[in-house]
Amino acid sequence: MKLEERFWSKVQKADGCWLWLGSVLKFGYGSFKLNGHTVRAHRVAWMLSFGDIPEGKMVCHHCDNKLCMNPAHLFLGTQKDNIRDMIAKGRSS
């Protein structure tokens, strides 16, 4: 089975968030085996939709749903961008 088929078969697409149905890491992110390595599933969703993730960037969620794979809900940013987003949304402690 092709990578794209294997990955997207584990995603429930709907209006809004596309939910990950596969394995989940202890911190709540989807987990996917890629080339023998376990990676966060939303990173694979980004790579399949937009290409490589530049060094120093992380894949963040506009929707704040760790299990969302909808490419429209993902954005690239730095750790600082992700923290600013968290604070702006009132999710910081």
Side-chain angles (χ1 to χ4, degrees), residues 1-83:
M1 182 183 299
K2 290 173 51 174
L3 170 64
E4 292 87 354
E5 293 170 5
R6 189 167 62 90
F7 180 81
W8 292 116
S9 72
K10 298 177 186 302
V11 177
Q12 180 182 36
K13 294 181 181 179
D15 291 337
C17 292
W18 297 2
L19 297 181
W20 179 251
L21 303 175
S23 298
V24 177
L25 298 167
K26 65 181 175 181
F27 298 111
Y29 289 95
S31 169
F32 188 75
K33 284 280 192 186
L34 183 64
N35 301 323
H37 299 281
T38 300
V39 296
R40 291 183 180 188
H42 65 287
R43 294 177 59 84
V44 179
W46 177 275
M47 291 185 287
L48 291 175
S49 301
F50 304 112
D52 291 337
I53 301 167
E55 191 170 330
K57 297 289 184 174
M58 50 193 320
V59 179
C60 308
H61 291 88
H62 287 295
C63 61
D64 297 330
N65 182 345
K66 295 177 182 180
L67 295 178
C68 181
M69 302 298 126
N70 186 339
H73 292 192
L74 304 175
F75 68 98
L76 288 179
T78 63
Q79 180 68 26
K80 278 187 177 183
D81 295 331
N82 203 28
I83 291 170

